[in-house]
Amino acid sequence: MNPAGAAQQPWLAPYAPRSARVLERAGQGAPVAETLSAEPVSIDLPAGPLRFVPGDSAPSGEAYEAFIFRTACVPTRDNLHDLFNGLVWLHFPQAKRRLNELQSTEIARAGIGATRGPLRDALTLFDENGAVLDAPPALWEALIARDWQQLFVTRREQWREARLLIFGHALLEKLCSPRKAATAHVLVAPGATRSIAAADAAIASALQPAHLALKPFTPLPVLGVPGWWAPNEAPAFYDDPRVFRQKRGAEAPLISPSA
């Protein structure tokens, strides 16, 4: 898919109209850091106003998240991955600031080793592939149970009352070339309503270390969402067990927002 055309896709609706401007300028060859810097920024980090800088700005040996925390500068390469990361920073600055603070605090505590550890793993998973869902209780119950027929076929009309917000920038990048297996990891964030500002505050509030270390996410194949991809109009679309997997008995249940 042409990146400029991606701005018209439903998963980028929360990022409009800024996504259209940024993707158009980047498509014309403007450096991504420069393109993002042309947009208004609405938050300061502990080190000062948020800035987007070229991807090679961090000194060798300093962790990416630690550099952002120390300088308030986000190293930004000229690719879609970093472009979408910047778009998420611009739209959800409180949540991204919270992620950065938790990552940098954990790096300061434990250093950089062969593995990230459970908290940093969870933070990275949500940062890259996370989403939040505002939906009627019946849809939540079906999602938690991974009852895909209930979720997407039997209760299909109820998706008119739902809103799935893609937060993860790697997932946004993947959706530029949609594949059936593209999966979000959904986090319960009470209060994530149709307002971007409310969603930002709700996500930031939900990012609690003790909870995140348990990886409290549930997978959602996003191209199964009604209206998001034409092939899912056929009920047989959801019969693919490689994508729409059953819940394993040993998995801990996700707490529903209605609980």
Side-chain angles (χ1 to χ4, degrees):
M1 179 183 295
N2 185 325
Q8 308 304 316
Q9 298 302 318
W11 46 85
L12 273 179
Y15 297 90
R18 185 176 274 161
S19 60
R21 293 196 301 267
V22 168
L23 285 164
E24 181 180 8
R25 287 197 295 263
Q28 293 170 350
V32 173
E34 178 183 304
T35 294
L36 293 167
S37 296
E39 296 292 323
V41 177
S42 60
I43 195 168
D44 286 352
L45 275 61
L50 175 69
R51 292 186 293 149
F52 299 97
V53 296
D56 59 359
S57 297
S60 177
E62 184 170 17
Y64 170 81
E65 295 287 354
F67 176 77
I68 295 173
F69 186 79
R70 181 175 65 82
T71 66
C73 296
V74 180
T76 304
R77 300 164 297 180
D78 290 327
N79 58 31
L80 280 176
H81 187 89
D82 286 11
L83 184 150
F84 285 122
N85 182 51
L87 275 175
V88 179
W89 266 108
L90 291 171
H91 287 81
F92 302 100
Q94 293 183 59
K96 289 289 280 188
R97 171 177 166 151
R98 176 68 171 158
L99 283 167
N100 176 250
E101 289 175 344
L102 291 172
Q103 286 272 22
S104 58
T105 297
E106 191 66 5
I107 289 169
R109 183 192 69 81
I112 299 294
T115 60
R116 291 190 182 96
L119 176 56
R120 291 194 62 220
D121 274 347
L123 293 167
T124 301
L125 180 64
F126 186 73
D127 194 22
E128 298 278 347
N129 291 290
V132 293
L133 176 66
D134 178 14
L139 291 186
W140 266 106
E141 291 166 8
L143 174 61
I144 292 165
R146 298 186 201 173
D147 186 340
W148 307 115
Q149 287 295 312
Q150 279 287 325
L151 181 65
F152 290 127
V153 180
T154 305
R155 299 189 177 276
R156 193 172 186 85
E157 289 301 311
Q158 287 189 271
W159 278 93
R160 297 178 185 272
E161 307 168 45
R163 178 177 182 248
L164 177 66
L165 191 157
I166 303 297
F167 181 90
H169 57 280
L171 183 55
L172 290 171
E173 178 192 13
K174 291 173 191 174
L175 288 169
C176 284
S177 300
R179 298 183 64 182
K180 188 175 183 178
T183 299
H185 289 79
V186 179
L187 176 70
V188 173
T193 64
R194 297 184 185 276
S195 158
I196 289 291
D200 188 21
I203 295 168
S205 179
L207 295 173
Q208 300 299 325
H211 187 51
L212 287 172
L214 301 175
K215 290 190 178 177
F217 310 113
T218 195
L220 173 60
V222 297
L223 293 176
V225 173
W228 277 35
W229 208 33
N232 74 35
E233 293 296 326
F237 178 86
Y238 302 103
D239 293 339
D240 186 347
R242 297 167 301 175
V243 175
F244 299 98
R245 300 176 181 179
Q246 297 301 307
K247 190 171 184 176
R248 293 176 295 184
E251 292 184 13
L254 177 73
I255 299 173
S256 166
S258 60

